[in-house]
Amino acid sequence: MFAAPAAATTRRVHGPDGVTIEIATVNGSGCPAGTAAVAVSEDKEAFTVTYSDYLAQAGGSSGPTDFRKNCQISMIVHVPQGFTYAIASTDYRGFAWLEPGASGVEKASYYFQGMPQTAAVSHNLKGEYADNWQFTDTNDVAQLVYKPCGEERNFNVNTELRVLRGTSDPAKTSFMSMDSTDGSIKTTYHFAWMQCPPW
């Protein structure tokens, strides 16, 4: 991860009014067309991505490619003039059913268009497991990557779910989903706002 550019070394501030997000592109087996949505929180301190068809599985009647699902979302984040942002932390949530001997992995990274990608962070679950799960990735203040002031750059999010059958009974299905029982779990990205210096 990389420190904030010199142009954005002013003070941290609260989220400004007028922040909007549009989805530019959605690609991946974990987010077929129409199954991912983005919304900005009222306080402008976070945004959520909601998935409705993001599930990896292995064993049972699972297909050979079902064990790994991924999703890349490219977003256009409209920010009022004079502000920039970084992602301070991210909460990932879902549900997993893992048979004894099976395992699951949630992996994520993100980056601004044309800038180096953050290191992918992985979280692991081991079977036997049948419950909701939540993982949080947190960036140290010194490692926050800010969008360069005055530049339009799409924000890209890459996520992956993987389920490995391992030594579990091959007749039984293990799965891991980035959703909830009601189909509308939210992955939340927490903004870190900064005021750009006057030009």
Side-chain angles (χ1 to χ4, degrees), residues 56-117:
Q57 62 182 29
S61 60
S62 305
T65 61
D66 290 345
F67 78 97
R68 179 186 178 273
K69 294 295 175 74
N70 73 295
C71 183
Q72 175 166 320
I73 301 178
S74 181
M75 289 169 268
I76 303 168
V77 181
H78 297 284
V79 177
Q81 189 170 358
F83 291 88
T84 188
Y85 69 94
I87 302 301
S89 64
T90 312
D91 303 321
Y92 299 95
R93 300 185 188 91
F95 182 83
W97 180 285
L98 301 173
E99 294 289 333
S103 60
V105 180
E106 179 271 329
K107 182 178 176 184
S109 62
Y110 46 84
Y111 61 98
F112 292 106
Q113 181 180 358
M115 296 176 69
Q117 187 162 317

Side-chain angles (χ1 to χ4, degrees), residues 177-195:
S177 64
M178 191 104 68
D179 63 10
S180 70
T181 51
D182 65 3
S184 61
I185 196 63
K186 297 171 179 177
T187 299
T188 305
Y189 296 81
H190 300 278
F191 285 122
W193 289 101
M194 190 173 283
Q195 239 170 344

